[in-house]
Amino acid sequence: MQLIDTKNKIYLLENNNFEFPTLDMMGGDIVAIGGDFAIPRLINAYKNGIFPWFIDEYNYIHWYSPKKRMVLKPNEFRLTKSLKRVIRNKGFEIKSNQNFENVIKNCATIKRKHEDSSWIDENFIEAYTYLHKLGIAHSVECYLDNELVGGLYGLIINNVFCGESMFSKVSNASKVCFYHLCNSAKENNIKLIDAQVYNEHLATLGAYEIDRSEYFRILSQK
């Protein structure tokens, strides 16, 4: 691992080992580039509060650890009256880990505001689908009339659900998934849901930002 940007403290990862910068070595939100999607590297990244976001034009993976981390404690989910009516009357059916690959593929292809394309390419899909087969990556799926209309996925690391992405084809489907994720998290002793960076959609559901150091403290707790 080589320091290639001393001002911003960005490191170039090596393909022959899976180490990452520690908290005291970090500067901005981007902490490293390079490396690959080897499963041990991905697991080690999340254990160290780091995640891959996109691959640049030079085929370098960019690894992030935001200075401000968007999180939610499962018992702090904000259930509004309108969402409660949707959950009760909309007719959604919720499942978990039944259709992981289709969830991540929908997250990759869904059109989003202010985004021309998705960072989720075949490298991400292949790696995270394998993590799912290992029981590390998980999905929550929302069906309406037997059609997959919403979902989310992420990894469980040290009793933290490290959320990656979500999608919604009909109104409120992803919110309903997030609600069920929080309920499942409470039942399974998940202490925190990591949403990575600020998201107005999740802020309406109770998510908020904490300092990177606080996130690392929570992540390190057994």
Side-chain angles (χ1 to χ4, degrees):
M1 186 170 59
Q2 177 186 356
L3 180 62
I4 59 171
D5 185 334
T6 55
K7 180 181 178 181
N8 297 301
K9 296 185 177 180
I10 298 175
Y11 294 80
L12 178 64
L13 304 182
E14 300 173 1
N15 284 333
N16 59 354
N17 69 65
F18 303 136
E19 67 176 334
F20 281 96
T22 54
L23 178 60
D24 60 304
M25 298 166 64
M26 295 178 180
D29 292 345
I30 303 175
V31 298
I33 65 170
D36 54 24
F37 283 98
I39 297 304
R41 185 190 305 280
L42 280 171
I43 295 172
N44 196 39
Y46 284 92
K47 285 182 176 179
N48 285 278
I50 298 169
F51 58 87
W53 199 333
F54 66 90
I55 302 173
D56 65 22
E57 64 270 28
Y58 303 106
N59 212 32
Y60 283 124
I61 304 169
H62 285 222
W63 301 86
Y64 281 72
S65 183
K67 295 173 72 174
K68 293 292 184 181
R69 200 87 175 208
M70 192 77 165
V71 301
L72 177 68
K73 293 180 179 178
N75 62 353
E76 293 179 347
F77 180 87
R78 187 180 299 151
L79 180 59
T80 63
K81 291 181 179 179
S82 59
L83 183 57
K84 190 180 293 186
R85 287 195 296 270
V86 168
I87 294 168
R88 187 171 59 245
N89 300 322
K90 189 73 174 181
F92 288 134
E93 181 183 7
I94 304 299
K95 298 180 182 180
S96 297
N97 298 315
Q98 299 299 305
N99 210 346
F100 182 92
E101 190 168 353
N102 274 336
V103 169
I104 190 172
K105 286 181 176 179
N106 272 280
C107 288
T109 57
I110 199 78
K111 297 294 183 182
R112 305 178 192 274
K113 292 180 181 179
H114 314 302
E115 289 184 11
D116 295 328
S117 61
S118 173
W119 72 94
I120 305 172
D121 66 8
E122 285 302 319
N123 296 286
F124 280 82
I125 293 170
E126 182 179 351
Y128 285 82
T129 300
Y130 191 72
L131 285 168
H132 170 64
K133 292 176 180 177
L134 294 176
I136 297 169
H138 303 268
S139 62
V140 179
E141 306 132 20
C142 182
Y143 296 84
L144 184 63
D145 297 327
N146 296 316
E147 179 186 353
L148 181 66
V149 295
L152 59 84
Y153 74 97
L155 285 65
I156 296 179
I157 302 289
N158 291 351
N159 288 331
V160 171
F161 184 88
C162 304
E164 271 298 312
S165 189
M166 58 172 55
F167 80 96
S168 185
K169 291 184 176 180
V170 301
S171 180
N172 293 307
S174 60
K175 287 184 178 181
V176 173
C177 284
F178 199 70
Y179 165 76
H180 282 276
L181 171 65
C182 289
N183 282 348
S184 177
K186 286 187 287 187
E187 294 171 359
N188 291 282
N189 297 314
I190 300 299
K191 58 193 174 187
L192 193 73
I193 294 171
D194 167 28
Q196 298 182 341
V197 296
Y198 183 83
N199 180 308
E200 186 176 352
H201 172 67
L202 294 182
T204 65
L205 302 178
Y208 52 90
E209 291 180 315
I210 60 174
D211 289 338
R212 179 162 59 195
S213 58
E214 175 64 8
Y215 176 75
F216 274 59
R217 185 191 67 79
I218 296 170
L219 184 64
S220 66
Q221 293 175 341
K222 300 299 182 182

